[in-house]
Amino acid sequence: MEREQEATLTHIVVLPYPLQGHINPMLQFSKRLATKGLKVTLLTPKSIVESTKGQASSVTFEPIDDDDDSGELIAAETMEAFDERFKAMFSHGLGGLIEKNNSYGYATKLVVYDCILPWAVDIAKQHGIGAAPFITQSCTIAAIYYNLYQERFTLPLQEPEMSLPSLPLLRMDDMPSIISQPASYPFILKVCLEMYHNFHEVNWVFCNSFDKLEEEVVSWISSQWPIKNIGPTIPSMYLDKRLKDDKNYDLSLFKPNVDACMKWLDSKDTSTIVYVSFGSLAALGEEQMEELALGLKRSNKYFLWVVRETETKKLPTNFIKETTERGLVVSWCPQLEVLSHKAVGCFVTHCGWNSTLEALSLGVPMVTMPQWTDQTTNSKFVMDVWKVGIRVKADAKGMVTKEEIELCINEAMGEKREELKRNATKWKKLANEALDEGGSSDKNINEFVEKIMHT
């Protein structure tokens, strides 16, 4: 009883970068903490909090006043300008939140911040509380950037292959695009390196992964900073099923076509559908969009394709009409429900980390078509390390042709399906075990809760 009372008086603030792919994993971690008895508040812009209305959650959403009702926070300004504005908003919002919770008897102990917002450490210190970074990408990506930060290699890359501690040999096109093409992403590269400058000041570094998925690199990273894998951060009812109310992410910046998707999937046989989605940010060029569309058409497979409203104009003329018997194109869908549906045979994905973890955790083979940032490295591991997918090959111009897309889909749904599915099922089992009671991720969460209550 004493432990429970102490827990209810302990308050944690969680600060994600305000993009769907960053908010979801940090929100899921927050739910896990809340079930352990902590009071958890997710601090995020008012325009995003609006999208959570009507959702049941054990986590409190505290709005930062951003004077933006559109939800398009970053569209109108540079990343540099947004970062400065968000820093000012958070600094003001955190102080007010701490004061409010103190008046209710909740002692704010810690800010868990998105690792690309390292200034949160300084602001937390000003208010006399601790801070811990949350890495929304893989341990492997974190290790690559950290090796660059430590100047174990320099940019631009001079060699066609790179050998780094605890990692397989990485070719140029296996590296994150921010490293293989540094001149194209100067600010993002700066952000990815600056996040490490105050890691020596924190007691915990949380990562959205699980130990057995990246064993060697986790072992190496553990010698560098206090890493705690707490993933995969997927709603509990798709994994360990211990949190009965945790059925979805509770937040979506896009409106999914739930009924249309599920009715269509229900009408199809087991493992007959190719699910295609490139997440909330990736945007294909018009020529690449046409090649993908024609590749799907040539494969002669049933397909469910998520094409965001802003991207529909890139579809070939009459494509939807001509494929209406074999395909369904929607602007957004409930991805977890889709991936866990028996009708889905493979997932054509950009290989963003959230999508990759979802597919691994639900045992779905992948055809990977990486676009930028960490996706190229994730794709390398999907194919060559975890062996749960096939990576498309781009031509000399960087284009993935319709013939290549057709070939990879037919391999994943045909001759290689059994092997890919067997490996995917293995990782699904290990992902579940990590979050089961006593599993590595569950143990890490419990250890953190125990320590923060007595800090």
Side-chain angles (χ1 to χ4, degrees):
M1 185 67 183
E2 184 181 341
R3 184 183 186 278
E4 290 179 8
Q5 186 176 8
E6 191 170 11
T8 59
L9 297 176
T10 302
H11 178 229
I12 305 292
V13 178
V14 176
L15 178 70
Y17 194 77
L19 290 174
Q20 183 89 56
H22 289 245
I23 295 171
N24 281 348
M26 296 189 74
L27 174 54
Q28 287 306 121
F29 179 46
S30 300
K31 290 180 188 177
R32 294 272 173 181
L33 294 179
T35 64
K36 307 293 182 180
L38 301 181
K39 176 175 172 58
V40 185
T41 301
L42 195 131
L43 195 59
T44 195
K46 180 178 67 177
S47 52
I48 287 178
V49 173
E50 291 295 312
S51 69
T52 68
K53 284 188 175 177
Q55 298 285 350
S57 178
S58 54
V59 177
T60 301
F61 290 86
E62 180 77 11
I64 309 175
D65 193 0
D66 55 354
D67 299 318
D68 180 19
D69 297 322
S70 68
E72 298 294 330
L73 281 166
I74 306 173
E77 56 189 325
T78 64
M79 289 186 68
E80 295 94 325
F82 176 78
D83 191 62
E84 284 303 312
R85 185 161 72 92
F86 190 58
K87 180 179 178 180
M89 289 190 303
F90 172 69
S91 182
H92 177 73
L94 178 62
L97 180 61
I98 290 172
E99 289 177 15
K100 181 170 75 173
N101 277 284
N102 282 343
S103 69
Y104 293 148
Y106 295 110
T108 304
K109 297 283 187 75
L110 187 77
V111 174
V112 176
Y113 66 93
D114 193 314
C115 65
I116 65 172
L117 305 172
W119 43 258
V121 175
D122 299 323
I123 296 172
K125 277 184 179 177
Q126 291 169 17
H127 293 284
I129 61 177
F134 185 106
I135 297 171
T136 57
Q137 297 179 325
S138 70
C139 295
T140 296
I141 294 297
I144 291 172
Y145 290 143
Y146 188 63
N147 274 287
L148 178 58
Y149 175 75
Q150 294 284 80
E151 298 182 346
R152 290 188 175 94
F153 65 95
T154 57
L155 300 181
L157 297 176
Q158 302 298 320
E159 303 295 330
E161 293 182 326
M162 174 75 66
S163 177
L164 295 172
S166 75
L167 296 175
L169 206 61
L170 298 171
R171 301 190 317 258
M172 180 79 80
D173 64 352
D174 296 328
M175 297 294 277
S177 61
I178 293 161
I179 287 178
S180 60
Q181 306 164 47
S184 300
Y185 311 102
F187 179 72
I188 301 177
L189 177 60
K190 178 172 172 278
V191 167
C192 289
L193 297 182
E194 282 185 348
M195 73 184 199
Y196 297 108
H197 84 269
N198 51 20
F199 267 32
H200 66 282
E201 299 179 38
V202 303
N203 294 321
W204 302 279
V205 177
F206 299 113
C207 190
N208 182 20
S209 186
F210 57 98
D211 291 354
K212 288 191 177 177
L213 187 64
E214 304 181 86
E215 276 186 306
E216 289 185 38
V217 72
V218 171
S219 177
W220 181 80
I221 285 180
S222 297
S223 69
Q224 310 295 310
W225 11 279
I227 185 81
K228 292 279 187 187
N229 275 325
I230 47 76
T233 55
I234 290 169
S236 178
M237 293 310 290
Y238 290 94
L239 288 169
D240 58 305
K241 297 181 170 55
R242 289 198 291 150
L243 313 184
K244 300 303 180 187
D245 294 330
D246 189 21
K247 300 174 182 176
N248 53 55
Y249 288 115
D250 289 342
L251 184 148
S252 178
L253 304 185
F254 301 91
K255 188 176 179 180
N257 306 68
V258 179
D259 289 343
C261 289
M262 303 320 292
K263 284 179 182 176
W264 195 76
L265 289 170
D266 288 342
S267 71
K268 301 296 181 286
D269 294 333
T270 300
S271 301
T272 56
I273 292 176
V274 177
Y275 169 56
V276 188
S277 177
F278 287 77
S280 58
L281 280 180
L284 303 182
E286 194 165 326
E287 186 180 353
Q288 184 61 84
M289 194 79 151
E290 182 173 3
E291 291 295 314
L292 177 54
L294 295 177
L296 286 169
K297 195 174 179 181
R298 287 167 60 105
S299 75
N300 207 30
K301 300 287 189 296
Y302 291 113
F303 65 86
L304 169 60
W305 187 5
V306 176
V307 181
R308 302 190 308 274
E309 288 182 7
T310 54
E311 300 291 290
T312 53
K313 61 182 179 293
K314 300 177 185 176
L315 288 170
T317 306
N318 295 326
F319 172 76
I320 294 177
K321 185 178 179 181
E322 291 170 359
T323 57
T324 187
E325 289 187 8
R326 302 206 70 83
L328 176 66
V329 177
V330 297
S331 59
W332 199 245
C333 78
Q335 182 157 291
L336 286 168
E337 287 186 56
V338 171
L339 287 174
S340 60
H341 198 284
K342 65 178 179 61
V344 172
C346 81
F347 179 19
V348 178
T349 173
H350 62 312
C351 242
W353 187 236
N354 288 330
S355 290
T356 301
L357 269 183
E358 287 173 355
L360 282 164
S361 300
L362 296 169
V364 181
M366 289 172 260
V367 171
T368 68
M369 193 168 158
Q371 300 299 301
W372 72 312
T373 62
D374 64 326
Q375 296 160 18
T376 43
T377 312
N378 297 339
S379 183
K380 158 73 175 177
F381 274 66
V382 164
M383 182 168 175
D384 295 336
V385 178
W386 305 318
K387 301 184 186 303
V388 294
I390 299 168
R391 181 177 179 174
V392 299
K393 296 182 179 72
D395 64 16
K397 298 178 182 177
M399 186 66 55
V400 182
T401 64
K402 54 185 177 293
E403 292 85 2
E404 174 68 7
I405 291 165
E406 176 191 6
L407 174 67
C408 291
I409 287 174
N410 285 337
E411 282 188 354
M413 295 287 280
E415 61 186 75
K416 289 196 175 181
R417 171 160 177 77
E418 189 175 328
E419 176 192 349
L420 296 177
K421 184 64 179 177
R422 183 171 59 250
N423 292 333
T425 300
K426 178 190 81 171
W427 290 112
K428 176 182 179 179
K429 181 174 181 288
L430 292 172
N432 277 269
E433 288 176 356
L435 284 168
D436 281 341
E437 190 168 2
S440 59
S441 292
D442 184 60
K443 183 180 176 183
N444 284 339
I445 293 170
N446 287 334
E447 286 177 356
F448 162 68
V449 170
E450 193 66 32
K451 286 183 179 178
I452 197 66
M453 287 193 321
H454 295 98
T455 299

